[in-house]
Amino acid sequence: MELMGIAIVVLLVSMIMIFVVSYTAKRKPTEYRKEFAGTELSTNIVKTLLATNAPGCMGLTFNELWQNCAENYVSGGIPCDAYRDSCEYATDETEKILNATLNKWQVNYEFRAEWDEGTTRRKVSIGVCPKTVKSKRTKPYPIYTNIGIMNILLYICY
Amino acid sequence: MKKAQVQMMETIAVLFIFFILIAFGFIFYANALKGGIAVTKQEHSELKSIELASKVSSLPELQCSENNLIEENCVDWLKLDKASSLIRSNRIFYFDILGYSNITIEEIFPGDRTYTVYANVPKDYGDRLPTFLPILLKKPIEGGYGFGIMSVVLYTK
């Protein structure tokens, strides 16, 4: 009888130990840095990029360049250099900046500038997030133009 | 008498197994606690890394200001050179704020210069936790802002 009692106690204690050890082994540290970096990076990178001045295009900010691009998408924006107007300059340099940062850290992204011109939906995209992966999007950053609001979005692909 | 002896032996055996079970229980508990402490230590290091990045981005030695108004997320390009030499000549004071870390500011656009603001890397370290922050680089002489990345690497033991 006592041996049966011991057997039951051993069984119970073993089950409790297995439960505790498996719970402790599965517990991962909360990745505060990853969460912070993801949130801060995507939000600040757009904000910082748009406030940056472009000495190669009359010292205008990227905000002003994208604004000019949206307002003159069909007719062509202000000429920045011999080969590029505001749209081309803003797209090229934005791509270079994002490649020198996000791509360098092996973070895939998709940058989008979207606006409506009458009934036509216009879009300028840099990079692409594959449909098979999840992506985290910044809040749309609005640029006010005389044809409406242009939204700047940055998707970080996971 | 024999029956009593057998019963006594049984009781001793039961107690012996009981104490062995308690010992095993303590060993498992100690290991589980050790694992929990390691997880907490990792979380603490990550929080410290974020705290350091926030501290550095608001250091008055680097911050931009205009008419006493502080500009967020901005480093004054003119201050950078002086800030590096100031920090180097007051290492003990800045060690209390910045600890074992490596702080660099890299200009991404329009130029490509890199400044090391603070470098204090220990010979042996356990974890290396880098954090990258996009910042504006104010150029008071040329006018306007450049795009830069502040890299804050925290070393833990």
Side-chain angles (χ1 to χ4, degrees):
Chain A
M1 285 307 287
E2 279 143 350
L3 284 172
M4 259 186 72
I6 291 168
I8 290 167
V9 166
V10 167
L11 206 68
L12 278 171
V13 169
S14 313
M15 277 172 65
I16 290 168
M17 282 181 196
I18 289 166
F19 177 74
V20 166
V21 166
S22 64
Y23 171 75
T24 315
K26 278 181 194 168
R27 189 185 156 205
K28 286 177 190 167
T30 312
E31 291 178 308
Y32 293 113
R33 227 176 89 256
K34 192 175 175 183
E35 187 63 39
F36 170 81
T39 321
E40 280 293 299
L41 200 64
S42 49
T43 310
N44 280 344
I45 217 162
V46 171
K47 210 166 124 182
T48 308
L49 175 69
L50 294 174
T52 303
N53 290 90
C57 195
M58 293 173 265
L60 295 171
T61 62
F62 275 79
N63 194 325
E64 288 162 338
L65 286 172
W66 282 112
Q67 188 183 29
N68 183 267
C69 173
E71 289 169 355
N72 303 283
Y73 191 70
V74 175
S75 54
I78 52 167
C80 288
D81 55 32
Y83 312 102
R84 299 179 292 182
D85 65 6
S86 55
C87 281
E88 286 156 346
Y89 185 93
T91 310
D92 288 347
E93 298 304 322
T94 300
E95 190 175 5
K96 279 184 195 164
I97 290 170
L98 293 177
N99 285 347
T101 49
L102 295 175
N103 262 2
K104 193 175 155 189
W105 305 325
Q106 293 168 334
V107 175
N108 291 328
Y109 67 89
E110 186 176 340
F111 176 95
R112 272 197 230 162
E114 296 175 335
W115 68 99
D116 290 319
E117 195 174 338
T119 52
T120 314
R121 183 91 179 145
R122 304 269 187 214
K123 189 171 92 175
V124 174
S125 278
I126 301 168
V128 66
C129 278
K131 284 182 183 165
T132 49
V133 302
K134 277 188 205 174
S135 61
K136 192 170 185 172
R137 197 199 71 177
T138 56
K139 284 182 193 171
Y141 192 95
I143 295 177
Y144 298 95
T145 72
N146 61 17
I147 55 161
I149 295 173
M150 175 195 229
N151 284 315
I152 302 289
L153 301 135
L154 179 64
Y155 293 79
I156 304 290
C157 321
Y158 287 100
Chain B
M1 196 61 183
K2 265 192 184 172
K3 213 177 172 181
Q5 276 176 332
V6 164
Q7 285 234 314
M8 189 110 83
M9 291 305 288
E10 271 183 16
T11 310
I12 289 168
V14 164
L15 280 172
F16 180 71
I17 290 167
F18 179 70
F19 282 119
I20 286 177
L21 280 175
I22 287 183
F24 274 128
F26 272 124
I27 291 166
F28 273 113
Y29 177 72
N31 279 331
L33 200 65
K34 208 169 149 190
I37 288 171
V39 161
T40 308
K41 189 185 168 199
Q42 171 76 0
E43 285 174 355
H44 179 73
S45 298
E46 296 225 340
L47 283 172
K48 208 173 163 202
S49 159
I50 295 166
E51 188 194 320
L52 179 65
S54 302
K55 255 192 225 172
V56 173
S57 65
S58 40
L59 276 177
E61 292 86 337
L62 299 170
Q63 244 177 3
C64 305
S65 60
E66 184 96 26
N67 294 329
N68 275 336
L69 290 168
I70 291 163
E71 293 176 44
E72 296 272 333
N73 246 27
C74 177
V75 165
D76 193 322
W77 194 246
L78 274 185
K79 283 186 185 178
L80 261 181
D81 194 33
K82 288 297 165 196
S84 310
S85 50
L86 177 75
I87 289 170
R88 260 196 306 275
S89 48
N90 295 282
R91 281 183 81 88
I92 295 167
F93 175 76
Y94 284 98
F95 179 76
D96 288 341
I97 305 168
L98 306 171
Y100 288 114
S101 62
N102 195 349
I103 300 161
T104 51
I105 291 177
E106 187 188 349
E107 185 184 10
I108 304 288
F109 180 88
D112 61 0
R113 288 173 288 179
T114 303
Y115 265 99
T116 301
V117 175
Y118 176 80
N120 192 352
V121 183
K123 283 178 192 161
D124 308 304
Y125 55 86
D127 275 327
R128 184 180 175 273
L129 302 162
T131 309
F132 302 101
L133 296 171
I135 45 159
L136 284 168
L137 298 170
K138 185 174 183 172
K139 300 187 180 184
I141 296 174
E142 299 103 316
Y145 297 87
F147 185 99
I149 293 288
M150 181 187 287
S151 155
V152 179
V153 183
L154 175 72
Y155 295 91
T156 60
K157 290 206 167 183

